[in-house]
Amino acid sequence: MTDTAPSTPRTALVLGGGGITGIAWEVGVLARLLEAGVPLADADLVVGTSAGSVVGTTLRLGGVADAYREQLLPAGATPEAALDGGDFLDRVGQAVAGAASPEEARARLGALARQVPVTGDEPELVTTMRERLGADTPWPAGDLAVCSVDATDGEFRVLTRDSGVPLHVAVAASCSVPLVWPTVEVDGRPTMDGGVRSGTNADVADAAERVLVLSCGPELAESPLGPTLPGVVAARQAAGREVMVIQADDAALAAFGGNSLSGATRGPAAEAGRRQADEVLDAVREFWRG
């Protein structure tokens, strides 16, 4: 079953995937914008994918300022992994080649994701998110959509407070990068990173009148796995609906380093996000005000 995001939001904030460094960059952007009085925490809908699910939850729980300060400290207990971006994309490409549909392509990738073993009593990301958020922390009052993908049939699932899934489990599932971390069980189904479908899943916010997107890097114009940000933006613009994208610039991407799943560069990444927010502050304020 695919849960749905609220159908008539006026404003939506979309936070894309990007690993540990992506979390840091997005937190840096949001911390500066909030500090400057842009009321992004009042968004009618927040959509989070992978890293964005962590940041979206942090925003909804009112913890962005503290999270920014945390990024400037030595990396803590957040699970890290070695990720060679080129090799990862090659393996994904080989897995999905010739798939007849996005669901089939995602299911093929899910078959590989399910091969990553759980080394303890539960996936490490579940433990980490429980410790970070608390096992009994309720979903925030503000609408939050956490994007995930069923690793068996490739179905896209948007998890919300109405899904009946603990918040920390939903976030862990959304962050479970295939080929790197084990899948997370959601309603008894192996579930993986929502970024398998799209880096931002910005179409989840399609009903919103005004959408602000934070993207941790450029997306391809087309993908066999699902919709991409350029297509969503083009469709909104063609329909006369407002959308603004803040994409990590070249300096930010350089700050990320070569491994987005390493905490070693999260300080520079957070500072890069804050710098970018300063550069677009007036434009974002005007856009959000409508």
Side-chain angles (χ1 to χ4, degrees), residues 113-209:
R114 299 199 310 273
Q115 294 176 17
V116 179
V118 176
T119 57
D121 294 334
E122 63 182 0
E124 186 178 8
L125 286 175
V126 175
T127 303
T128 297
M129 294 306 169
R130 180 187 294 109
E131 293 173 350
R132 184 186 187 100
L133 300 174
D136 299 321
T137 299
W139 282 73
D143 286 324
L144 173 66
V146 174
C147 298
S148 67
V149 170
D150 188 302
T152 300
D153 60 13
E155 180 185 14
F156 179 54
R157 187 172 181 191
V158 180
L159 302 172
T160 70
R161 74 168 73 87
D162 296 327
S163 302
V165 178
L167 179 62
H168 73 281
V169 173
V171 174
S174 185
C175 291
S176 297
V177 181
L179 311 177
V180 177
W181 282 313
T183 59
V184 171
E185 282 206 1
V186 174
D187 293 336
R189 304 279 294 183
T191 305
M192 60 184 174
D193 191 340
V196 167
R197 177 179 182 264
S198 164
T200 55
N201 291 298
D203 59 311
V204 173
D206 203 43
E209 297 175 13

Side-chain angles (χ1 to χ4, degrees), residues 217-232:
E219 289 187 35
L220 298 174
E222 295 182 351
S223 168
L225 292 161
T228 67
L229 181 58
V232 173

Side-chain angles (χ1 to χ4, degrees), residues 8-93:
T8 56
R10 185 176 62 87
T11 57
L13 175 64
V14 174
L15 302 167
I20 293 173
T21 53
I23 291 174
W25 178 78
E26 291 181 355
V27 163
V29 172
L30 293 181
R32 178 63 187 120
L33 293 176
L34 291 169
E35 179 184 282
V38 182
L40 297 179
D42 295 338
D44 295 317
L45 171 64
V46 174
V47 178
T49 296
S50 199
S53 72
V54 176
V55 179
T57 300
T58 301
L59 175 67
R60 282 308 202 201
L61 295 178
V64 170
D66 288 341
Y68 178 74
R69 289 188 287 270
E70 179 186 349
Q71 304 308 310
L72 306 181
L73 301 174
T78 302
E80 299 186 23
L83 178 65
D84 182 319
D87 177 67
F88 179 80
L89 291 177
D90 285 344
R91 295 179 67 187
V92 170

